[in-house]
Amino acid sequence: SSSLISDSVSVRLSNETLWKQFNSLNTEMVVTKNGRKMFPKIEYVIEGLDENQHYALFLHIERINENRYKYVSGEWVSCGKADTVDTIKKVGHQDGVLMGSAWMRSPVSFDRVKITNNTMDSSPSNICLTSMCKYRPILSIFKMDSPIHSSIDTDGKQFVLSVTEFIAVTAYQNQSITNLKIAHNPFAKGFREGGAVDRKRSSTSPPSGPSPKRSPSSLSNHSTTSLLSLPSLPINIPPTTVSSAPTTPTVILPDLKMSPFQLPYPHPLSLPLYSSLLSSSPLSPFNPFLLSALTAMQLNSSSPHNFSS
């Protein structure tokens, strides 16, 4: 039977320009055991639906042919037939059944869909693909008689955009694809700033506190203030001259083993910096910033107040 979806319905990509950049290099999408989201995102702009009709949207990913590919000398070439046969799995959009006006109001993203190479995966939003095979996403639109009843359009209407074709891989083969992903994927920000390896090599202190996504500092453009940046705070700290000879603070410090403060400041506190901070009246020896730093120091158990500069 023919589809009840009007021929006037059209579908395009909201990020078509980005997809074209990848398509010109033969897009690659990484599949993992747990599933990975695709980038660029599959984000459709739908036009021509009946504003007062209910619709349901589904996405599935179809293998283009039976060939298996390999990357040789900068090119993808066919290297025989794939051993496995993929099962078509349609994933419904997370918003369920909506009126045509709602689907057309803004781009429709299937960003919850993940691709995996685990044939035993049972996640409803994961689609299993075979590595080194070529695929294309397909959007299906079905008319629904109501938000809770079945489709009145059993065939639906499918939309295939050739620019979204890709090859499933377990690791990127083309360095140009890697560079494009790093340049445009917001989750690759760390690689744009020098790479994870460089950051690990340059790090001088262990990470502390919650992840950036959960940290209150992520709600603003301000970074978390560390102990070593305290002198830049609006505190009047007079200049201090420290001789090269070992010195001992003349103040009586609290028993650090009994200190109730356990703030996340892992930086050791040198004697010159301690003396400078201590000489300022707003920072008493019982200031929690000082106590947390002192607690992090490796103090000699027999002389708990003996610091090394």
Side-chain angles (χ1 to χ4, degrees):
S1 60
S2 61
S3 171
L4 298 178
I5 303 296
S6 170
D7 290 337
S8 64
V9 175
S10 64
V11 172
R12 59 184 173 84
L13 293 167
S14 66
N15 50 352
E16 184 177 10
T17 301
L18 182 59
W19 272 103
K20 285 182 176 179
Q21 292 184 52
F22 280 90
N23 183 256
S24 66
L25 299 170
N26 288 315
T27 308
E28 301 172 28
M29 295 288 184
V30 169
V31 292
T32 64
K33 182 178 180 180
N34 295 327
R36 177 177 290 191
K37 292 184 177 182
M38 292 180 284
F39 185 86
K41 291 181 180 181
I42 299 178
E43 200 167 73
Y44 297 108
V45 174
I46 304 174
E47 298 173 324
L49 296 176
D50 183 342
E51 293 188 355
N52 300 313
Q53 173 68 50
H54 290 97
Y55 296 91
L57 273 56
F58 291 81
L59 180 78
H60 71 276
I61 300 177
E62 177 182 82
R63 192 192 295 185
I64 294 176
N65 53 46
E66 297 180 353
N67 296 337
R68 190 177 180 87
Y69 294 84
K70 64 179 179 179
Y71 193 69
V72 180
S73 302
E75 294 183 355
W76 284 100
V77 296
S78 176
C79 60
K81 291 187 176 181
D83 298 331
T84 59
V85 177
D86 295 331
T87 300
I88 297 297
K89 177 181 178 180
K90 290 189 176 183
V91 178
H93 193 274
Q94 62 266 18
D95 290 345
V97 178
L98 296 176
M99 302 287 281
S101 57
W103 289 122
M104 295 187 294
R105 186 175 299 124
S106 58
V108 177
S109 176
F110 281 86
D111 58 351
R112 294 189 184 182
V113 173
K114 294 182 180 181
I115 51 178
T116 176
N117 57 355
N118 180 10
T119 57
M120 304 301 291
D121 190 293
S122 59
S123 172
S125 59
N126 284 12
I127 297 178
C128 185
L129 306 178
T130 302
S131 178
M132 309 308 278
C133 290
K134 188 174 289 188
Y135 293 90
R136 61 188 171 199
I138 299 177
L139 173 68
S140 298
I141 301 179
F142 294 87
K143 269 189 176 181
M144 308 294 289
D145 57 2
S146 77
I148 59 176
H149 294 126
S150 61
S151 171
I152 58 174
D153 180 14
T154 55
D155 292 332
K157 190 168 186 177
Q158 295 186 349
F159 296 86
V160 182
L161 303 178
S162 60
V163 74
T164 59
E165 294 178 1
F166 65 88
I167 296 177
V169 297
T170 54
Y172 295 123
Q173 305 295 304
N174 185 349
Q175 183 60 41
S176 297
I177 289 291
T178 303
N179 294 340
L180 265 182
K181 299 256 185 178
I182 292 174
H184 296 282
N185 192 341
F187 292 100
K189 179 181 178 182
F191 292 94
R192 291 195 295 272
E193 295 177 347
V197 174
D198 292 340
R199 294 201 311 275
K200 287 181 179 178
R201 289 177 179 173
S202 61
S203 177
T204 57
S205 60
S208 61
S211 66
K213 289 185 179 180
R214 296 188 297 273
S215 172
S217 63
S218 65
L219 301 178
S220 67
N221 294 326
H222 303 288
S223 60
T224 303
T225 302
S226 68
L227 177 67
L228 296 183
S229 65
L230 279 177
S232 64
L233 296 175
I235 299 175
N236 181 23
I237 300 178
T240 305
T241 302
V242 181
S243 64
S244 58
T247 59
T248 302
T250 57
V251 296
I252 299 176
L253 297 177
D255 186 350
L256 300 179
K257 295 181 180 179
M258 301 298 293
S259 173
F261 301 101
Q262 297 181 0
L263 302 180
Y265 293 96
H267 310 287
L269 190 66
S270 65
L271 180 60
L273 180 57
Y274 171 78
S275 301
S276 177
L277 293 175
L278 196 61
S279 63
S280 174
S281 57
L283 288 173
S284 71
F286 297 95
N287 183 281
F289 293 100
L290 275 178
L291 290 174
S292 63
L294 295 173
T295 304
M297 297 178 63
Q298 295 182 350
L299 302 178
N300 186 298
S301 59
S302 61
S303 302
H305 301 161
N306 182 26
F307 298 89
S308 62
S309 59

